[in-house]
Amino acid sequence: MTESAVAALADRLGDFRPRVLLTLGSGLGGLADGVDRPVVVPYADVGLPESTVPGHAGRLVAGTFAGVPVLVQQGRVHLYEQVAPAQVVSCVRVAAALGAQTHVVTNAAGGLAPDLAPGDLMVLTDHLNLTGTTPLVGPAFIDMGAAYDPELRAAAHDAAAGVREQLFEGVYAGLRGPAFETPAEVRMLRTLGADAVGMSTVLEVIAAIQAGLRVAGFSLITNVHGPGVATDHAEVLAAGRTAGPRLAEVIAALLPRL
Ligand code: HPA
C-alpha cells in the first residue's frame, strides 16, 4: 500500500520533495493555510486511508511553510476507526520515502498535569504507548530512548519564546479511545507519569523513528480532566480552532530552525 501511495504522490508533486512532515491534529487543520503555493492532494487520490472523524480533512498539502518544503498531513486516521496500525502510520512512511527528514507531529490532548489549562501548548518530552499495539512487525528493536529529539525540543522553546508563547513540556499518553477517560483512568495516567492524554501520535512517532526521522511533538491542550469536568469532542474542536493559530505561529518560527 505504501509503495503505490509513494509513486502516486511523487507523480503529483513533480520535483517537489518535502523536508518536513507536519501532521495536524483535531481542529488544527488551519495550520495548512500557512503553506505557500500549495499542492493539495486528497488522501483518496493516492490510496491513503481517510478519517471518519469530524474535524479531520483528509488531504495532503505540499508546499513551503516559513520557507521550508513541507508535506502537511491535514487529518489522520486513528486506531479507534478500526484500521490497522500500518494504516495509522502510512503518511509517515510515505513522507519518509519521499525524503522527509523531520516529523513535526501535533495533537489535541486532554490536560492531566495540574498546571495545564485549555489553550495551553505543550512540547512532548516522551510518550507512553498505551494503545496495546505497534506499527512494527517482527524483530524491529528500535531505540526509543530519545524519540522526541532534545535538540528540536530546545529549538521549539526558542521558537516559542521568539513569538512570546508559553510552551509547557510533558509526557503524552496515547490511548486507543474513543471513550474519554474515566476518573480512575485519569488517576492511573497521572501515577504513570503522563501530563496529557490523547488518541493519536504514539504509533506515528514509532514509525517515524523506525524510518530515521527526527521528531518534534506538540500537544494543544483542549480540555482538562478534573472532578466534575465533562469532556466532549465539540469542546476539543473549538479549543483547537481558537488556539490553533498560536501553535501555527510557534511551528512557523520552529521550521527555519530545524
Ligand atoms: N482524552 C483523550 N483524547 C483527547 C482528549 C482527552 O481528554 N482531549 C483531546 N483528545
Side-chain angles (χ1 to χ4, degrees):
M1 196 261 294
T2 305
E3 294 90 69
S4 57
V6 172
L9 186 59
D11 218 40
R12 291 284 286 268
L13 298 185
D15 289 339
F16 178 88
R17 287 293 173 269
R19 239 177 65 209
V20 175
L21 170 66
L22 172 56
T23 302
L24 303 181
S26 295
L28 293 170
L31 266 75
D33 297 344
V35 175
D36 293 323
R37 286 177 286 117
V39 175
V40 178
V41 182
Y43 292 165
D45 285 12
V46 291
L48 288 170
E50 282 183 281
S51 176
T52 56
V53 187
H56 281 263
R59 54 190 210 161
L60 296 167
V61 180
T64 54
F65 191 108
V68 178
V70 296
L71 185 64
V72 181
Q73 179 189 350
Q74 205 178 15
R76 49 155 69 100
V77 289
H78 306 78
L79 278 178
Y80 60 74
E81 296 176 76
Q82 306 295 334
V83 297
Q87 294 215 291
V88 172
V89 305
S90 54
C91 278
V92 175
R93 289 181 169 156
V94 166
L98 288 175
Q101 290 155 15
T102 304
H103 188 194
V104 176
V105 58
T106 70
N107 57 60
L112 300 168
D115 53 343
L116 291 175
D120 283 344
L121 307 179
M122 184 183 98
V123 63
L124 274 58
T125 55
D126 207 344
H127 77 213
L128 294 166
N129 175 12
L130 299 176
T131 63
T133 191
T134 173
L136 307 182
V137 178
F141 304 120
I142 60 169
D143 179 26
M144 294 292 288
Y148 296 86
D149 192 297
E151 272 177 36
L152 297 190
R153 219 156 67 219
H157 282 294
D158 287 348
V163 296
R164 296 173 193 282
E165 280 295 341
Q166 185 174 23
L167 186 61
F168 291 84
E169 280 202 333
V171 174
Y172 173 91
L175 277 64
R176 184 185 172 95
F180 289 118
E181 296 69 37
T182 65
E185 287 163 346
V186 167
R187 286 195 298 276
M188 173 190 78
L189 293 167
R190 281 302 289 154
T191 304
L192 295 178
D195 297 297
V197 55
M199 305 175 194
S200 68
T201 303
V202 293
L203 301 187
E204 295 157 30
V205 169
I206 292 169
I209 296 299
Q210 183 188 36
L213 303 186
R214 300 175 80 192
V215 174
F218 295 91
S219 287
L220 168 52
I221 305 302
T222 54
N223 57 286
V224 291
H225 288 276
V229 185
T231 311
D232 81 318
H233 187 60
E235 175 192 17
V236 168
L237 291 183
R241 271 191 297 271
T242 318
R246 290 174 28 235
L247 183 54
E249 262 201 274
V250 173
I251 290 174
L254 170 66
L255 286 174
R257 298 169 198 257
L258 295 179

